[in-house]
Amino acid sequence: MLKVGLIGVGSMGTQHFLRIMNVISGATVVAVSDINEAHAKEVIAPYEGVRYIADPIELIRDPEVDAVVIVSIDSTHEAYCIEAIKQQKYIFCEKPLSSSAAGAKAVVDAEMAGGKRLIQMGFNRRFDTRYEELKALVASGDLGEPMVAHCAHRNATYAPQYDDVTAVTGTAVHEIDIMSWLVGDYFTKAQVIFPKSSRHVQNPNLHDPQIVLLTTSSGMVVSCEIWVNCQFAYDVRCEVLCEDGTATLPRPARVDVCTKQLNYTGMTTDGGGYFADSYNREFQAWADACNSGTVNEAAASAWDGYCAAVTTDACLKAQKSGAIEPVALTERPAFYK
Ligand code: ISE
């Protein structure tokens, strides 16, 4: 049984805690850390034997902790990964690996210096069966070469700290990782366009929605609508245009309702629920891999986290310059092949 130390029991961290305790097999949480002690203690109260450890570094070093789950705020991921690498413990790190390419590089360098792959990145969509089907179809070549993809990432509401930076490093980063994985290519150019902003956004540092345009090394163009406060629902869309047809990510199946001259299907506002199966599958894959002393090859690695961070760096630059910015990726080291 893998004994997990989990850092951060905010909304997503609590979902992951409950998932490890109640949904997946082969792992259990033995310690939790969070800056909000009272809340953390409330979350763990129903579970006997789970300790609260105030200091995350102490939690990582705790001899009872075999593996670490990092779901604390984005700015802490780099330091906690590096400490867990020092302890040679397996790591599940929620996206992003770091909010900057330099920070992500420091983690990759530490992992390579330690000589053993330890990190699984929390890019959950790689474990979503609909994305898997879409990827397999594109890879089969039945529709010809992919040329364009249109993606939309809509959140019903945004966290108070959300601004133009987090819209990229916290939200667009999902599109960046999944589209690069889906078409098996990396991005070379990034541009960000700010349309007229919604009246629902009060934060002067946030443009909402915004359009991120990415070009892959083979010349495919991916447009991503990032709308973090759309108010009406959580919604993720993806349509790939290939030479001989298009392939579209199916929406989650919901009851089709007819009433009062209307025909509709409901939508959710809960992103965790929308992607629950993929989160469960990625955690099961992580626990299984840790228990067999390895990393799951289908999951995103620290290198993938670094590639995403290099791309988000380019997007942040593009937000400021209004220009098309290069994405300066170097070759994948053999360590990550
Ligand atoms: C959040 O951190 C997530 O990972 C969600 O999937 C995403 O929809 C949201 O925009 C992020 O803030």
Side-chain angles (χ1 to χ4, degrees):
M1 180 68 76
L2 186 76
K3 297 198 183 87
V4 175
L6 186 146
I7 308 172
V9 276
S11 159
M12 188 49 78
T14 301
Q15 289 177 39
H16 290 341
F17 171 77
L18 296 174
R19 182 177 336 277
I20 296 170
M21 296 312 260
N22 303 315
V23 182
I24 67 159
S25 59
T28 190
V29 179
V30 293
V32 159
S33 190
D34 192 281
I35 41 170
N36 186 340
E37 177 173 350
H39 171 69
K41 287 188 168 165
E42 219 170 274
V43 172
I44 64 180
Y47 298 89
E48 222 173 283
V50 185
R51 287 178 293 141
Y52 171 75
I53 302 179
D55 179 3
I57 299 293
E58 204 182 299
L59 173 140
I60 295 168
R61 293 179 183 164
D62 191 279
E64 200 196 0
V65 169
D66 301 324
V68 181
V69 171
I70 301 169
V71 209
S72 43
I73 56 164
D74 297 356
S75 57
T76 62
H77 293 184
E78 176 189 338
Y80 297 159
C81 278
I82 289 176
E83 181 58 35
I85 290 167
K86 267 192 206 145
Q87 305 302 320
Q88 286 289 286
K89 293 187 178 180
Y90 283 110
I91 302 156
F92 178 96
C93 180
E94 255 307 340
K95 41 62 56 177
L97 183 55
S98 167
S99 301
S100 74
K105 179 79 172 28
V107 179
V108 160
D109 287 346
E111 191 177 38
M112 288 201 288
K116 185 178 174 195
R117 293 262 310 271
L118 295 168
I119 298 180
Q120 175 172 325
M121 283 301 304
F123 282 120
N124 62 296
R125 294 191 198 170
R126 292 185 181 215
F127 288 87
D128 182 295
T129 51
R130 301 163 310 144
Y131 271 110
E132 283 172 349
E133 189 182 340
L134 195 52
K135 178 178 170 63
L137 178 65
V138 171
S140 73
D142 288 356
L143 295 182
E145 278 293 303
M147 304 172 297
V148 174
H150 298 300
C151 307
H153 187 145
R154 299 175 187 151
N155 293 157
T157 52
Y158 59 160
Q161 78 276 12
Y162 249 69
D163 59 11
D164 281 343
V165 174
T166 40
V168 165
T169 60
T171 298
V173 71
H174 273 297
E175 306 309 315
I176 288 168
D177 178 71
I178 201 67
M179 293 315 294
S180 148
W181 168 84
L182 201 149
V183 298
D185 200 354
Y186 57 93
F187 297 114
T188 54
K189 287 187 260 179
Q191 187 184 2
V192 179
I193 294 167
F194 293 141
K196 180 161 127 179
S197 217
S198 156
R199 74 179 192 286
H200 297 300
V201 170
Q202 305 301 337
N203 180 352
N205 298 318
L206 176 66
H207 292 80
D208 197 47
Q210 43 191 286
I211 309 294
V212 175
L213 286 174
L214 301 160
T215 306
T216 71
S217 78
S218 76
M220 181 183 178
V221 172
V222 177
S223 72
C224 311
E225 168 209 306
I226 305 300
W227 192 1
V228 298
N229 184 35
C230 79
Q231 303 271 301
F232 54 83
Y234 186 93
D235 198 14
V236 167
R237 299 185 181 207
C238 176
E239 182 184 34
V240 185
L241 280 60
C242 303
E243 292 165 305
D244 298 315
T246 69
T248 303
L249 188 75
R251 319 277 298 283
R254 299 290 296 254
V255 168
D256 186 271
V257 183
C258 294
T259 180
K260 298 174 189 151
Q261 299 85 52
L262 285 175
N263 181 194
Y264 65 86
T265 55
M267 295 177 82
T268 183
T269 55
D270 168 25
Y274 191 101
F275 277 117
D277 284 350
S278 64
Y279 287 117
N280 294 340
R281 292 181 75 220
E282 74 171 346
F283 267 92
Q284 189 61 67
W286 179 69
D288 290 348
C290 295
N291 280 326
S292 55
T294 180
V295 287
N296 184 291
E297 293 295 341
S301 64
W303 181 258
D304 296 316
Y306 166 70
C307 293
V310 172
T311 311
T312 55
D313 262 15
C315 293
L316 295 176
K317 212 167 164 203
Q319 280 179 329
K320 292 214 164 74
S321 69
I324 299 172
E325 296 290 347
V327 179
L329 273 170
T330 50
E331 210 185 312
R332 184 178 287 265
F335 187 76
Y336 291 105
K337 276 182 182 145

